[in-house]
Amino acid sequence: ETGVTQSPTHLIKTRGQQVTLRCSSQSGHNTVSWYQQALGQGPQFIFQYYREEENGRGNFPPRFSGLQFPNYSSELNVNALELDDSALYLCASSHRDRGRTFFGQGTRLTVV
Amino acid sequence: QQQVKQSPQSLIVQKGGIPIINCAYENTAFDYFPWYQQFPGKGPALLIAIRPDVSEKKEGRFTISFNKSAKQFSLHIMDSQPGDSATYFCAASMNSGGGADGLTFGKGTHLIIQP
């Protein structure tokens, strides 16, 4: 077990709705990242938070946003859901200076 | 544009054999190369990682070979077991893994170890 926990494990939303996914980072880690993994593909980097600020973003639109809290927990928010947003969303935590990144079990989001 | 190319897409090996999965990268700024194992319905699990100052790293039955000049790296699984059947991903990142650009993943290799 990595110590990275995500909730919920599964979620079904309707196109146009908004969704919030939650993550609790591994103890001692100060950096959290979110990834989207479509079926049969590798994870794609969405963004990274360090010291409660976004400090890196992949090729995702602004309707993907996030928060990192002082206790290193994190949220991923997606507005105006589209069918193509259906995927496994992975939270990953790491210590900024040590490189090793650990993933949670993911939240399976289905948009209908 | 895919920055990390992984092959093969799928691989079947007999128990005890040595599956080899290959990855190639383009961005010379990458300096941290981890491998992840993923079972269905689970998140990726970190297996082993290497930095470009060494050509080989072993951890248990897993070995990474790294060729900096060719910009290629590979995963070898010694004495493979049916329990090793999973999808394997190579990845790369900058700033020794602490970069703000996250990990760039390959597309994955679906490995089956036959009993």
mmCIF file of all heavy atoms in Angstrom, chain A residues 21-39:
data_model
loop_
_atom_site.group_PDB
_atom_site.id
_atom_site.type_symbol
_atom_site.label_atom_id
_atom_site.label_comp_id
_atom_site.label_asym_id
_atom_site.label_seq_id
_atom_site.Cartn_x
_atom_site.Cartn_y
_atom_site.Cartn_z
ATOM 1 N N LEU A 21 -13.221 15.301 -6.893
ATOM 2 C CA LEU A 21 -12.551 14.078 -6.453
ATOM 3 C C LEU A 21 -11.563 14.450 -5.359
ATOM 4 O O LEU A 21 -10.949 15.520 -5.407
ATOM 5 C CB LEU A 21 -11.818 13.414 -7.629
ATOM 6 C CG LEU A 21 -12.628 13.207 -8.904
ATOM 7 C CD1 LEU A 21 -11.779 12.497 -9.949
ATOM 8 C CD2 LEU A 21 -13.901 12.446 -8.637
ATOM 9 N N ARG A 22 -11.398 13.542 -4.398
ATOM 10 C CA ARG A 22 -10.574 13.852 -3.241
ATOM 11 C C ARG A 22 -9.412 12.876 -3.069
ATOM 12 O O ARG A 22 -9.500 11.716 -3.472
ATOM 13 C CB ARG A 22 -11.435 13.890 -1.981
ATOM 14 C CG ARG A 22 -12.442 15.032 -1.992
ATOM 15 C CD ARG A 22 -13.314 15.083 -0.771
ATOM 16 N NE ARG A 22 -14.126 16.304 -0.768
ATOM 17 C CZ ARG A 22 -15.261 16.451 -1.438
ATOM 18 N NH1 ARG A 22 -15.738 15.447 -2.181
ATOM 19 N NH2 ARG A 22 -15.931 17.587 -1.378
ATOM 20 N N CYS A 23 -8.347 13.379 -2.431
ATOM 21 C CA CYS A 23 -7.131 12.588 -2.272
ATOM 22 C C CYS A 23 -6.464 12.948 -0.951
ATOM 23 O O CYS A 23 -6.406 14.118 -0.567
ATOM 24 C CB CYS A 23 -6.175 12.872 -3.433
ATOM 25 S SG CYS A 23 -4.537 12.127 -3.263
ATOM 26 N N SER A 24 -5.956 11.935 -0.285
ATOM 27 C CA SER A 24 -5.152 12.140 0.911
ATOM 28 C C SER A 24 -3.746 11.637 0.611
ATOM 29 O O SER A 24 -3.561 10.458 0.294
ATOM 30 C CB SER A 24 -5.754 11.387 2.089
ATOM 31 O OG SER A 24 -4.944 11.529 3.230
ATOM 32 N N SER A 25 -2.783 12.540 0.688
ATOM 33 C CA SER A 25 -1.421 12.194 0.299
ATOM 34 C C SER A 25 -0.737 11.333 1.354
ATOM 35 O O SER A 25 -1.171 11.259 2.499
ATOM 36 C CB SER A 25 -0.592 13.462 0.104
ATOM 37 O OG SER A 25 -1.115 14.253 -0.924
ATOM 38 N N GLN A 26 0.360 10.708 0.939
ATOM 39 C CA GLN A 26 1.163 9.914 1.859
ATOM 40 C C GLN A 26 1.846 10.836 2.869
ATOM 41 O O GLN A 26 2.280 11.942 2.534
ATOM 42 C CB GLN A 26 2.210 9.130 1.066
ATOM 43 C CG GLN A 26 3.039 8.179 1.883
ATOM 44 C CD GLN A 26 3.794 7.195 1.025
ATOM 45 O OE1 GLN A 26 3.284 6.715 0.023
ATOM 46 N NE2 GLN A 26 5.021 6.886 1.406
ATOM 47 N N SER A 27 1.911 10.385 4.094
ATOM 48 C CA SER A 27 2.529 11.161 5.153
ATOM 49 C C SER A 27 3.951 11.553 4.781
ATOM 50 O O SER A 27 4.733 10.733 4.301
ATOM 51 C CB SER A 27 2.529 10.342 6.448
ATOM 52 O OG SER A 27 3.195 11.034 7.479
ATOM 53 N N GLY A 28 4.285 12.839 5.005
ATOM 54 C CA GLY A 28 5.628 13.318 4.703
ATOM 55 C C GLY A 28 5.810 13.843 3.299
ATOM 56 O O GLY A 28 6.848 14.414 2.978
ATOM 57 N N HIS A 29 4.795 13.682 2.454
ATOM 58 C CA HIS A 29 4.890 14.169 1.083
ATOM 59 C C HIS A 29 4.297 15.568 0.976
ATOM 60 O O HIS A 29 3.248 15.845 1.545
ATOM 61 C CB HIS A 29 4.167 13.233 0.124
ATOM 62 C CG HIS A 29 4.925 11.967 -0.130
ATOM 63 N ND1 HIS A 29 4.446 10.978 -0.961
ATOM 64 C CD2 HIS A 29 6.130 11.547 0.317
ATOM 65 C CE1 HIS A 29 5.328 9.995 -1.008
ATOM 66 N NE2 HIS A 29 6.351 10.319 -0.243
ATOM 67 N N ASN A 30 4.978 16.458 0.251
ATOM 68 C CA ASN A 30 4.522 17.837 0.165
ATOM 69 C C ASN A 30 4.054 18.238 -1.234
ATOM 70 O O ASN A 30 3.719 19.393 -1.465
ATOM 71 C CB ASN A 30 5.639 18.791 0.619
ATOM 72 C CG ASN A 30 6.931 18.591 -0.165
ATOM 73 O OD1 ASN A 30 6.946 17.949 -1.214
ATOM 74 N ND2 ASN A 30 8.007 19.149 0.347
ATOM 75 N N THR A 31 4.050 17.288 -2.131
ATOM 76 C CA THR A 31 3.646 17.568 -3.511
ATOM 77 C C THR A 31 2.573 16.580 -3.939
ATOM 78 O O THR A 31 2.710 15.379 -3.691
ATOM 79 C CB THR A 31 4.857 17.461 -4.453
ATOM 80 O OG1 THR A 31 5.870 18.379 -4.041
ATOM 81 C CG2 THR A 31 4.445 17.779 -5.887
ATOM 82 N N VAL A 32 1.524 17.090 -4.554
ATOM 83 C CA VAL A 32 0.464 16.209 -5.054
ATOM 84 C C VAL A 32 0.213 16.514 -6.523
ATOM 85 O O VAL A 32 0.247 17.676 -6.947
ATOM 86 C CB VAL A 32 -0.830 16.351 -4.229
ATOM 87 C CG1 VAL A 32 -1.423 17.736 -4.375
ATOM 88 C CG2 VAL A 32 -1.849 15.302 -4.636
ATOM 89 N N SER A 33 0.024 15.463 -7.286
ATOM 90 C CA SER A 33 -0.256 15.597 -8.713
ATOM 91 C C SER A 33 -1.501 14.798 -9.051
ATOM 92 O O SER A 33 -1.839 13.833 -8.352
ATOM 93 C CB SER A 33 0.919 15.074 -9.553
ATOM 94 O OG SER A 33 2.119 15.726 -9.211
ATOM 95 N N TRP A 34 -2.145 15.202 -10.128
ATOM 96 C CA TRP A 34 -3.313 14.472 -10.621
ATOM 97 C C TRP A 34 -3.056 14.049 -12.061
ATOM 98 O O TRP A 34 -2.463 14.798 -12.846
ATOM 99 C CB TRP A 34 -4.563 15.344 -10.548
ATOM 100 C CG TRP A 34 -5.088 15.530 -9.146
ATOM 101 C CD1 TRP A 34 -4.733 16.493 -8.251
ATOM 102 C CD2 TRP A 34 -6.082 14.719 -8.495
ATOM 103 N NE1 TRP A 34 -5.432 16.328 -7.075
ATOM 104 C CE2 TRP A 34 -6.263 15.253 -7.200
ATOM 105 C CE3 TRP A 34 -6.834 13.604 -8.869
ATOM 106 C CZ2 TRP A 34 -7.175 14.707 -6.284
ATOM 107 C CZ3 TRP A 34 -7.736 13.068 -7.969
ATOM 108 C CH2 TRP A 34 -7.901 13.613 -6.693
ATOM 109 N N TYR A 35 -3.539 12.841 -12.367
ATOM 110 C CA TYR A 35 -3.382 12.282 -13.703
ATOM 111 C C TYR A 35 -4.717 11.727 -14.183
ATOM 112 O O TYR A 35 -5.532 11.261 -13.377
ATOM 113 C CB TYR A 35 -2.353 11.138 -13.698
ATOM 114 C CG TYR A 35 -0.930 11.577 -13.463
ATOM 115 C CD1 TYR A 35 -0.478 11.916 -12.189
ATOM 116 C CD2 TYR A 35 -0.032 11.659 -14.522
ATOM 117 C CE1 TYR A 35 0.822 12.334 -11.976
ATOM 118 C CE2 TYR A 35 1.281 12.067 -14.317
ATOM 119 C CZ TYR A 35 1.700 12.406 -13.041
ATOM 120 O OH TYR A 35 2.997 12.810 -12.847
ATOM 121 N N GLN A 36 -4.902 11.763 -15.497
ATOM 122 C CA GLN A 36 -6.067 11.152 -16.128
ATOM 123 C C GLN A 36 -5.589 9.953 -16.929
ATOM 124 O O GLN A 36 -4.651 10.074 -17.722
ATOM 125 C CB GLN A 36 -6.750 12.155 -17.066
ATOM 126 C CG GLN A 36 -7.984 11.599 -17.773
ATOM 127 C CD GLN A 36 -8.417 12.481 -18.930
ATOM 128 O OE1 GLN A 36 -7.714 12.607 -19.924
ATOM 129 N NE2 GLN A 36 -9.584 13.110 -18.801
ATOM 130 N N GLN A 37 -6.222 8.810 -16.723
ATOM 131 C CA GLN A 37 -5.846 7.613 -17.474
ATOM 132 C C GLN A 37 -7.063 7.084 -18.222
ATOM 133 O O GLN A 37 -7.982 6.510 -17.627
ATOM 134 C CB GLN A 37 -5.285 6.535 -16.550
ATOM 135 C CG GLN A 37 -4.753 5.325 -17.317
ATOM 136 C CD GLN A 37 -4.105 4.278 -16.414
ATOM 137 O OE1 GLN A 37 -4.374 4.211 -15.217
ATOM 138 N NE2 GLN A 37 -3.237 3.453 -16.997
ATOM 139 N N ALA A 38 -7.057 7.291 -19.515
ATOM 140 C CA ALA A 38 -8.112 6.732 -20.354
ATOM 141 C C ALA A 38 -7.888 5.231 -20.506
ATOM 142 O O ALA A 38 -6.780 4.729 -20.314
ATOM 143 C CB ALA A 38 -8.105 7.415 -21.721
ATOM 144 N N LEU A 39 -8.941 4.527 -20.858
ATOM 145 C CA LEU A 39 -8.871 3.071 -20.971
ATOM 146 C C LEU A 39 -7.806 2.650 -21.981
ATOM 147 O O LEU A 39 -7.780 3.143 -23.112
ATOM 148 C CB LEU A 39 -10.246 2.539 -21.399
ATOM 149 C CG LEU A 39 -10.526 1.077 -21.062
ATOM 150 C CD1 LEU A 39 -10.443 0.834 -19.566
ATOM 151 C CD2 LEU A 39 -11.891 0.671 -21.595
#
